[in-house]
Amino acid sequence: MNRLFGTNAPKAPKPTLDSAISNLDTRISSIDVKLASINAELQGYQAKLSKMREGPGKTALKQKALKILQRRKQYEAQRDQLQSQVWNMEQAQTMQDNLKNTMVTVDALKSTNKALRKEYGKVDIDKIERLQDEMADLLDVGNEIQESLARSYDIPEDVDEAELDAELEALGQEVELEREMAGAGMEGSLPSFMQDEVPEFIDEAPAQAGKVSEAAG
């Protein structure tokens, strides 16, 4: 019974813009083939008419050519209508594609917005501010440490400048004494007051500075 009334008959798929445009393109191609055949036929009539003299035969052939020309105009009108339909559907398809792309973009923005809200929800602004304050304090401590290490040490106030002058003068005397000893050229580098004068009748100088030390002892 269901088969008789057709309740279980499969439903035809809904037409789409792509399928409709494809069908119209097929019909336009068919009309183009017919127009090409008509144009070839008209060229044949035109060639014959150009060679015929005026008379009933030429008039009859001309009437046939006019009918064919009229049929060509009808096909051209149909083709123009079909092309206009194709143009309108292509515009609608473009709008549909743009709408799909817009919806994809909107969905992507929604997903991104949701993900950002979720991630930003994990961020504690107060913790970040405290971290920034701690970093600033640490930098201040580091600067203080560097300044402390780079500090120069001044002379203590309780040092007597007179003592420093005396010590400096003593150092100068030591330097002068060393110069005097070096100028004498004596072995052992003895000061001038510790060097014995050699009598004129002695040809040899004292043997060693160690003997002078023994004599002094």
Side-chain angles (χ1 to χ4, degrees):
M1 294 293 293
N2 291 333
R3 292 182 180 179
L4 293 177
F5 291 102
T7 55
N8 291 334
K11 295 181 179 180
K14 294 181 179 181
T16 61
L17 286 175
D18 289 334
S19 62
I21 292 173
S22 178
N23 291 334
L24 289 178
D25 287 338
T26 302
R27 293 176 61 185
I28 291 172
S29 298
S30 177
I31 291 175
D32 287 336
V33 172
K34 292 179 181 179
L35 286 174
S37 177
I38 289 173
N39 289 331
E41 189 174 358
L42 285 174
Q43 288 177 359
Y45 282 124
Q46 184 65 29
K48 291 179 181 180
L49 290 172
S50 62
K51 296 178 182 179
M52 293 177 66
R53 295 179 180 180
E54 296 293 335
K58 185 175 181 179
T59 302
L61 187 61
K62 188 175 182 180
Q63 291 296 324
K64 291 182 180 180
L66 290 174
K67 290 182 180 179
I68 294 174
L69 182 61
Q70 185 177 4
R71 187 172 58 180
R72 186 182 72 175
K73 290 184 176 295
Q74 291 176 353
Y75 281 128
E76 288 176 348
Q78 291 179 8
R79 185 184 62 183
D80 293 340
Q81 291 178 355
L82 294 177
Q83 288 178 343
S84 297
Q85 293 178 15
V86 169
W87 169 253
N88 293 333
M89 284 189 291
E90 286 177 348
Q91 292 298 313
Q93 187 178 30
T94 301
M95 293 177 62
Q96 185 179 13
D97 294 338
N98 291 336
L99 180 59
K100 289 180 180 179
N101 294 332
T102 302
M103 294 305 298
V104 171
T105 303
V106 171
D107 291 339
L109 290 175
K110 287 181 178 179
S111 300
T112 304
N113 188 17
K114 184 178 179 180
L116 289 175
R117 288 179 179 274
K118 182 179 179 181
E119 294 298 325
Y120 281 136
K122 300 176 182 178
V123 178
D124 190 347
I125 302 298
D126 295 333
K127 288 184 179 180
I128 294 177
E129 292 293 336
R130 288 195 297 271
L131 180 61
Q132 290 288 85
D133 294 338
E134 291 177 0
M135 290 296 298
D137 294 339
L138 290 174
L139 290 175
D140 291 338
V141 172
N143 291 332
E144 291 178 0
I145 293 173
Q146 294 298 326
E147 291 177 359
S148 178
L149 293 175
R151 184 178 59 188
S152 61
Y153 298 97
D154 297 330
I155 298 175
E157 295 180 358
D158 56 350
V159 176
D160 190 359
E161 293 185 1
E163 293 180 1
L164 293 177
D165 292 338
E167 185 177 354
L168 182 61
E169 185 177 357
L171 291 174
Q173 292 177 355
E174 290 180 2
V175 172
E176 194 67 29
L177 179 61
E178 290 178 358
R179 289 180 179 176
E180 183 179 354
M181 293 171 61
M186 297 297 292
E187 294 183 358
S189 301
L190 293 176
S192 60
F193 65 87
M194 294 182 64
Q195 297 176 2
D196 296 334
E197 295 182 359
V198 180
E200 295 179 356
F201 58 88
I202 297 178
D203 294 334
E204 296 181 359
Q208 295 292 337
K211 294 181 180 180
V212 176
S213 299
E214 291 176 0

